Amino acid sequence: MNQNHAENLEPELKDKLYQSIFSRKSIRKYKAESLTAEKLKEIKAFLAARKGLKQNIKWESKIVSADKISSLLPIKAPHYLVFFSEESEGYLQNAGYILQYLDLYLSAHGLGSCWFGLAKAKKEIAAESEFSYVITLAFGEAAEKQCRNDKSEFKRKELSEIRDHDSYEQLIEAARLAPSATNNQPWYFKVRPNKIDIYREKPNFIKKIFYQKMNKIDIGIAAAHLKLAAEKHNLNSKFSFSDSPSKELSDYIYQFTLNILD
Ligand SMILES: Cc1cc2nc3c(=O)[nH]c(=O)nc-3n(C[C@H](O)[C@H](O)[C@H](O)COP(=O)(O)O)c2cc1C
């Protein structure tokens, strides 16, 4: 199955989202005040317009306050975006992809956000959706430095650890900077002519319970960065989910391919 995935963003907004890749950070301290109704409306409209990695997967989201969320390690924020999805093939990657556009959107608009994998939507909220709870994004006005000054402030693996070839470096560089659960960075990119194969690290036995789910979300997040970078560099591209990978890798599981069309 091939899908076009053009997110139909205004060039100026697309540019802002792309720039945010190089400055965004997780915000864990927030001002207590709610955002204005107008701002929340804009955020909802932006999210509602997302097509996602796999457009056939149904999903929905809700913005709730702290009393609707439970977590052992809380992040106190004025708002939480809880995401629900149909559990079809690739739904976790799809959730990561969609919500990473929102993470970048919030950062680009001077707001703070943090992926919140340890959170759970309380029963009364989960019961309102016909879909399964996936993950939460905390957001609001930052009460700490809202973004990074430059790339040197990112703690990430080196490019050489996550790719096998130096083609499409600007795309893989954008993916390299993506956020991931506990900064695990479970991605690997194999490049072949006009294709980037995306792989996910096999979690070890201990990591399996938590990471199995988070790793897949992380891959969708990295794919969002890859796609935005392709668009920024005027490369027409499409994800495909039924390709055979160029090679099986012992420590990684093949996920999908970004095809560069011109
Ligand atoms: C799927 C996912 C789940 C996460 N869950 C949490 C969480 O529960 N609590 C938290 O403080 N940070 C969480 N994070 C944030 C990561 O720790 C953070 O993205 C990573 O350390 C990289 O730092 P950065 O986002 O500032 O670049 C999560 C990130 C992702 C992508």
Side-chain angles (χ1 to χ4, degrees), residues 77-128:
H79 306 288
Y80 301 85
L81 188 294
V82 286
F83 192 91
F84 301 90
S85 173
E86 191 176 55
E87 283 195 27
S88 37
E89 178 72 30
Y91 78 102
L92 294 169
Q93 289 86 343
N94 191 52
Y97 187 87
I98 291 170
L99 284 184
Q100 187 54 19
Y101 274 82
L102 180 63
D103 177 73
L104 294 171
Y105 177 92
L106 293 166
S107 181
H109 287 81
L111 297 170
S113 66
C114 191
W115 283 90
F116 197 3
L118 292 174
K120 274 217 141 116
K122 284 193 180 161
K123 271 196 191 134
E124 70 251 39
I125 287 296
E128 284 175 16

Side-chain angles (χ1 to χ4, degrees), residues 24 26 28 115-118 148 156 179-181 183 218 221:
R24 63 150 296 286
S26 292
R28 297 186 178 85
W115 283 90
F116 197 3
L118 292 174
R148 294 180 161 107
R156 297 292 190 268
S180 55
N183 208 19
D218 294 338
I221 294 173

Side-chain angles (χ1 to χ4, degrees), residues 11 19 35-37 45 73 98 104 116 126 158 255:
Q19 294 307 333
L35 299 180
T36 61
L73 280 175
I98 291 170
L104 294 171
F116 197 3
E158 298 296 327
Q255 299 290 278

